[in-house]
Structures are given as structure tokens and as C-alpha cells.
Amino acid sequence: MAKRLVVIDGYSLLYRAFFATRFLSTADGRPTNALYGFTSMLFYLLENVKPDAIVVALDAPGKTFRHKEYAEYKGTRRETPPELKVQLPEARGLIAALGIPSIEVEGFEADDVVGTISRLGEENGYETTIVTGDLDSLQLVDDHVSVLTMQRGVTETITYDTAKVHERYGFGPELVPDYKAICGDTSDNIPGVPGIGDKGATTILQQFGPIEQVLERFDELEPKFQKKIEPVKEQMLKSKWLATINREVPLEYDFEPFILDDNEFEAAKAMLESFEFRTAVRRMDLVLGPYRDGAPPRTDATAAEVVEESLEVKLAEAGTFEQLLAWVGDRPFALTFEVKGEQGSMFDEPTRTAYVAVGNEVRRGPEAFGFQLLDAALPRAILHDAKPLYKHLEPTLQAPRFDTMLAGYVLQSGRSQYALRDLIQGYTDFGAPGSTEQATAALWHLEKAMGERLDKESQRKVLDEIELPLVPVLAEMEAHGIAVSREFLLEFSKSLQIEIEKKTREVYEYAGEEFNIGSPKQLGEILFEKLSIPAPKKTKTGYATGVEILQVLAPAHPICGEVLAWRELSKLKSTYADSLPKMIGEDGRIHTNYSQTVAATGRLSSNEPNLQNIPIRTELGRQIRQAFVAAPGFTLASFDYSQIELRVLAHMCGDEALVGAFQRHEDVHTVTASLMYGVPLTEVTREQRGYSKMLNYAVLYGVTDFGLANQLGGAFSISEAKALIEQYRERFPSIKAFTDSVVQEAKSKGFTTTLYGRRRHFPDIHALNRNERMYAERQAMNAPIQGTAADMIKLAMLHVRNELG
């Protein structure tokens, strides 16, 4: 069999990996996503392509021979992101550590190095696979050279041979430079022939072949092509020259077989460990083992997946509870419950068996033993989702030693779930647990693994001082519940029904007919077809009738205002007046569930029902709150921070106007309006204050000019809203500087931090999709402020509960 040579276009692959891999960083904030993608591709090649020799081509610093002839070459390329730049030297280090030769030649591009080595490989009897992130190298494909490139992500690949190139373009690899000569290449700033695109270029090349023949037979071209090519004949020839890879670069390559010695293996392992690529480190023996010095000859068998370490557990019966307690002693222990044969479930279903682990030793006993053990030694318990267990315990404000669900949330608040099985596989070297006793032992080990990560990321304080102490407080709140007046809600529902019927008649009157007001399709037809109201937007399924649309139209078209009122009444009735009475327990109270692991910002969430979303902005909405009552002899009190997020912003950015307003106990929105409109505080109108309040929060949350225009209810156009935002930034330059610095921190590290140190990660901060990237930037802008406010509220809850005794 012919020997296999792999030639990697290094920076092209790294560039592709940077944008194709969700943003990653080490615990100390060093970006690693390009390195991760590069390592994944390298391992893929070693496992699947199985090269005899491997080499990396790199771009040398400075201009190339093409720049001398065409100064604008690659002039349109955007600046390399600094987060990618810092990974390039690390990539060089990894390549060197693995003993893979890298070649760069001054005055030439990596493509030229790739082309020359592939020619030399063919001359020396090698079958060559070129690995690249772009398609320039397709011109090099022949019977002995193929190109492997990425379809999606990094390791979802496609390999081009001659037939594949024909399939893609309709002609062979030899005409790829001619294709670029006609179409141009915006990424390299190759001009081509303006006005002729892919289809036209393909038609011409299929009929005439290379562009030199096109020019020789110019009279045979269609007039429309003649007209476009005639003025740029020389430019077309120059474009082909620019697009043609030079395969005669003066370089030397010895085709030395890829063999790793022990020092290289250990150096590469140390680098991967420094990048925190745990999976890659675990797979090194499997992937790199066949290439180590003295290894037996490789076979064609595809390498199997890593066989993860399996926990060898010693399971025994607990005996009596006293025996179990004596066995645990004063050691930390992990506890799970098996429910109907499902491991790790700790909710309302009747549990059957308790499993207690200390290291790899596990004791099994009745479920009551588990609760008794928690009552006796809760501060030493390692649990997963501890809060539901408190309903089975004696009243206590003690927190468990460790909760892996909360630890998972603190480390990655953007995840949708924190299943024990996933955490075990994600943070330890163990495979998926195959039994409850294995899951329990793995839970015990998980504390150390996750604890080390918490320490590396300086997140231990967030878990130990906020999240864990809050568990018993929330459990107590859930158990106690809140009293609700069923009678008030029933009466309120009746009054709402009367108002809904009244609003329905009014809408019908404006419409001139009866229809289903709750149907967006029917509503759109009435508003924008029958009544001929100008339609701002139409979707695939009909007209857009969302609240932001109707708010803009309401001042000029009263039916829109009536529909909004009908919607509010209907939502109040169905969501609150009719639903809440069904959730009242036998004790006359509603027992909601408070979750610490749902909101990525660090905030608490409430569900079944959501008691954090009771309306307050409208008079009708505020009436719902009258249904929540105090028990006899008690009074309900509401405690909140005044304008907490604006206060945090003032503290973090140090803006003199904002800080001064709070220090002087002035209304911050009035101060903002005074600066925005250039009038004394005493002359600020109610309307000006209202606009300024909306603007304060719009800038705080990174709202776009379009979003602000919608929020202002049509009072300002998009361009006027944009001007307002710009004016705000001019009046408050410290705020703009602060938010810019926060976004830059998220770009460089992949996360932001609150004043208390809580991190929030933004994997889409470098997404190629502009909407995804801008959304991540807006989230990052507000994350330290919103997260700090959430931390303060949680700490206040702890302090208040301590004061209550």
C-alpha cells in the first residue's frame, strides 16, 4: 500500500475552528476554542486517516509575492480577533510538542507551502491528504492528492477527490483558478469579472476551458459575457495569477515518519492538561499510542472510543441504623435514593431504598435510614438536588456539605439541566453509572472533582456562601407557603368576566362583525384587510399582531387598544383568577417551588405557580395581589431594593451624575431627564421623566434602537430612538465605557463576573451569525449588573432569615 501523507493548512484550520467551536476558555479565562477544534481535528486524522507522515504549513509574517504585484490582495480581510491571536502561539507549541514539523517560508502563503509539499509527496510515492478550512486547495486535487475540509463544525468533514470536485463545480480541479479569475474571491479581495457569477463562470469554463482559451475564442462568447469581460481582460488574467497556488516554493521536507518519543508524548499531555481538555488527555493513549516509539504496527481497524474507568463498588447491607451511623462515623458521605428502580430521583414519589457511599464502599438500607442519617449529620452530606429532601427532615436551617446540582449550576449557569449522570461523565473519568450503588459512589467522588473546578474558577465562595445556605431557607418557604383568599379570587374572576364581555362587544363594534379575538389569524384579517389598517409586518402564517405591533397602532386605531385591554383581562382571568384557586392546599396556602438552577443570571425562579410574576404595572393587575393575605395576627410586608440595578451600575461604572443622584437621594430618572433635555430638575416634565426612565433601563439591558422605539410606543421613530441612545451615551460616557469593557471581557475570557465573583459564560460571543453574536453581547453587557443584584437579594434573604431567629 502507498504511504499516506497529511498536510495541514495550520492557520486556516485554526481560523475555521475558532468560529466553528462554541467559545471555550480555561478556568483563568484563557480562550481555547480554536485549540480545541484543532486538537479534535488532529485526533480525528490520527485515528481515521492514519498518516505515515504529517506536516503543518503556516503563514510566515509579512507580505507575500502576490502583494508586490497587487497591493490590495487580501485587503478586505477583517482583523484577526485578539481572542484567536492569543491561541496561535499555543497552537505552535502544541504542534512542536507533538514532534510534528511545521514549515513557513517568507514571501509565500501557507497554500503555496501546501501545494509544494503535496507535489513533493506525489514525487516520493505518497498519497496525500490536504486538511484545510477553505477550498482554495481544491485546485491541487488529482489522482494522488485529496482535500479534506469541514462541512459543519470541525470534525464533520468531506473529502474531495477529482470526482467530488467535478460534482461540486461541473469541471475539474485544474479549472478552479480560472473559476476564481471570473467569479473573483471576496475573502482574498481577488476582483474577477464584475457581473459574472457562479453560473455564468461555470457555463463559460465548461464551453471553453481555461480563460486563456476564452480570450482566444472571444468572438464565440455570448454578447452578454463579451460586454463584461472586454473591459477587464487584464484584470481577469491577474486574478487567475493571484488565485493560482505556487507549487515551486523553495523548501525542504524530509518525509520523516510520525513517531512520538516519551518526552514528546508527555510534553503534549502537559499542554492539553494546561488547556483543560480532559477528554483529549484521556484519549491520548488510544489515539497517540500507535504512533509512539516502539509501538506495534498499526492496523486498519478504527480506534474504539475511550473505555472510561468503571467504578468498582463494594456494596453491603446497612444492618441497623445504629450500625450505619457507626460505619459512616464522622466522614463525609454521599446519599441517593432509588425510586421504582430509577437512580438519583429525589422527588415526591415514594422512595424504596437509601444508598450511602463513603468512597467506593456503599451501604444499602430502608429509605427511613437515609432521612435519619440526614437529620443526624446533614452538614456532612453530599447530595444531588438537596432541597426536596428537606420536606422529610426535622425543621433545620443547616445546609448540606455539597450539592452537585448547585455546583453544576454555579460552574455553568447556562445549561438547561444538571442530571447527576451527565455531571459524573462531565467532571470525572468514570463512565455512565450502571447501578444506583455506582451512581452513589460516583456522587461521593464528584464532590472533589467539582470542588477543584470551583476553586480554579474562584466560584467556591458563591456556592458555599450563597447557594448552599439558601437551600434550607427556600425549603422552609416552600413548606410554609403563602395564604390565599379563595373567595376574593372567585369574585374577581366574575368581575373580570363581566369586563371581558364588555370589551368583546366594543371590539366587535369597531370591527363591524363578530370573530375570535384570540385568533391572531382572524384578528389580522379584521385589522389589516377589512379595516385597511397599515400592516407593519406579515409573517408566513399571517399578519403579526403582537403587543409591540398593537401598541404602536393603538393611538390612531382604537380597536387595537381595546384588543390589548381584552388580552390583559383574559390573561388575568385564566392565569390567575381561575388558576390560583386550584393550587390552594388544604391548609389554605399555595406552596410554590423555588428553583436556584433555572435562570442563567443567578436569579431565583418560581413555578407551580410562578409567584414572582404577579402583575403590578396595571391597576387590574395589582388587584390580584389582594388575594394574598396574612394569617391572623400577622401582617404581610414587602422588602425590596430601590432601583437596585441602576445603583449597581452607578457603583460599577462610577458615573458622577448617577452616583451623585443616589447619594443626594434624588430621583435618578429625573436627574437623567435633566441631563438629557438640558433643563433644571424642577422643570422636568412627567413625560420627559418617563422617557428617561425607559432609556435608563434600555441602555442597561442593551436594547437596540428598534427595541427602544417599540418600547416608546410609537412616540419616536427608530432613527429618533437611535439618536436618543447616542445622546444618552454622550451625556453618560462612563456608562458607555463600562458596558464596552464588560463586552470586551466576555470576548476575551468567555465570561463575565459579578461583584461577588459569580461567573456567567457566553459561548456565542464570537458566533459567525450576527444575531446570535449581538444577542450574546447584549446579555454580557447586563450580566454583571443583573447577577450582582441577584447575589445581593439572595444574601439579603439569608440575613433576614437569620434576623428572624
Side-chain angles (χ1 to χ4, degrees), residues 492 495-504 562-575 577 620:
F492 189 49
S495 65
L496 285 172
Q497 184 60 39
I498 293 171
E499 289 298 316
I500 289 169
E501 291 170 359
K502 179 181 175 184
K503 286 296 173 189
T504 301
E562 298 301 330
V563 169
L564 287 172
W566 179 90
R567 284 181 180 175
E568 182 195 7
L569 291 164
S570 300
K571 182 176 180 180
L572 286 173
K573 184 174 187 299
S574 62
T575 306
L620 273 172

Side-chain angles (χ1 to χ4, degrees), residues 180-432:
K180 290 199 170 192
I182 299 174
C183 290
D185 186 339
T186 54
S187 66
D188 287 341
N189 201 28
I190 296 175
V193 178
I196 301 182
D198 297 351
K199 289 184 179 179
T202 300
T203 299
I204 293 170
L205 294 175
Q206 286 177 336
Q207 183 177 354
F208 296 96
I211 60 170
E212 290 81 6
Q213 292 185 32
V214 172
L215 296 178
E216 284 178 15
R217 300 166 58 188
F218 193 73
D219 292 342
E220 299 176 38
L221 275 171
E222 291 183 47
K224 65 178 181 179
F225 292 140
Q226 288 181 353
K227 183 178 179 181
K228 290 171 181 173
I229 293 175
E230 179 65 44
V232 292
K233 286 180 178 178
E234 290 302 318
Q235 178 175 290
M236 184 173 70
L237 289 167
K238 175 62 71 68
S239 294
K240 178 175 179 178
W241 179 81
L242 289 169
T244 301
I245 292 174
N246 185 335
R247 304 191 76 179
E248 300 294 335
V249 177
L251 59 82
E252 293 182 1
Y253 175 55
D254 58 12
F255 296 94
E256 186 176 340
F258 177 53
I259 297 174
L260 278 169
D261 63 32
D262 291 344
N263 290 335
E264 289 166 338
F265 184 88
E266 292 303 324
K269 183 178 181 180
M271 288 204 74
L272 294 178
E273 286 175 340
S274 75
F275 302 152
E276 299 175 5
F277 296 163
R278 291 180 60 253
T279 301
V281 171
R282 289 207 311 267
R283 301 185 72 234
M284 281 188 70
D285 282 327
L286 179 70
V287 177
L288 297 177
Y291 299 92
R292 295 187 71 170
D293 196 8
R298 298 192 305 277
T299 66
D300 288 335
T302 302
E305 288 301 310
V306 174
V307 179
E308 293 165 310
E309 183 182 342
S310 180
L311 262 178
E312 294 185 8
V313 175
K314 295 179 181 178
L315 176 64
E317 297 304 321
T320 66
F321 174 69
E322 288 70 23
Q323 289 173 323
L324 175 64
L325 190 61
W327 173 74
V328 170
D330 59 359
R331 298 178 294 176
F333 63 91
L335 171 67
T336 68
F337 293 89
E338 185 177 61
V339 184
K340 299 176 182 177
E342 297 180 6
Q343 61 192 33
S345 297
M346 302 179 184
F347 297 97
D348 291 336
E349 301 95 330
T351 56
R352 292 180 177 176
T353 310
Y355 287 77
V356 181
V358 176
N360 289 7
E361 293 188 46
V362 180
R363 295 291 184 269
R364 179 172 57 195
E367 64 169 315
F369 283 12
F371 300 135
Q372 287 177 270
L373 186 59
L374 290 178
D375 280 327
L378 185 57
R380 289 189 276 113
I382 302 165
L383 305 169
H384 180 79
D385 191 14
K387 181 161 61 66
L389 298 177
Y390 276 74
K391 68 182 67 174
H392 303 285
L393 307 182
E394 294 294 326
T396 179
L397 286 178
Q398 289 186 321
R401 173 186 173 91
F402 201 80
D403 186 325
T404 51
M405 178 179 280
L406 290 180
Y409 171 71
V410 170
L411 288 168
Q412 290 179 293
S413 64
R415 290 176 64 156
S416 58
Q417 60 166 322
Y418 302 89
L420 176 57
R421 184 186 185 90
D422 295 341
L423 295 177
I424 290 168
Q425 291 182 283
Y427 288 94
T428 74
D429 292 335
F430 305 130

Side-chain angles (χ1 to χ4, degrees), residues 650-723:
H651 174 81
M652 287 180 136
C653 75
D655 186 87
E656 291 183 7
L658 277 182
V659 172
F662 286 118
Q663 288 179 337
R664 294 189 297 270
H665 302 288
E666 294 170 343
D667 178 72
V668 68
H669 304 307
T670 302
V671 171
T672 302
S674 174
L675 288 169
M676 287 291 295
Y677 294 100
V679 298
L681 288 173
T682 54
E683 296 179 19
V684 171
T685 66
R686 181 186 180 92
E687 186 180 53
Q688 288 172 336
R689 182 191 180 277
Y691 289 149
S692 296
K693 178 179 180 179
M694 201 168 290
L695 193 56
N696 271 331
Y697 286 105
V699 173
L700 185 68
Y701 282 88
V703 174
T704 62
D705 43 16
F706 174 77
L708 179 60
N710 274 340
Q711 288 182 15
L712 292 169
F716 292 85
S717 66
I718 294 174
S719 60
E720 288 171 331
K722 182 177 182 180

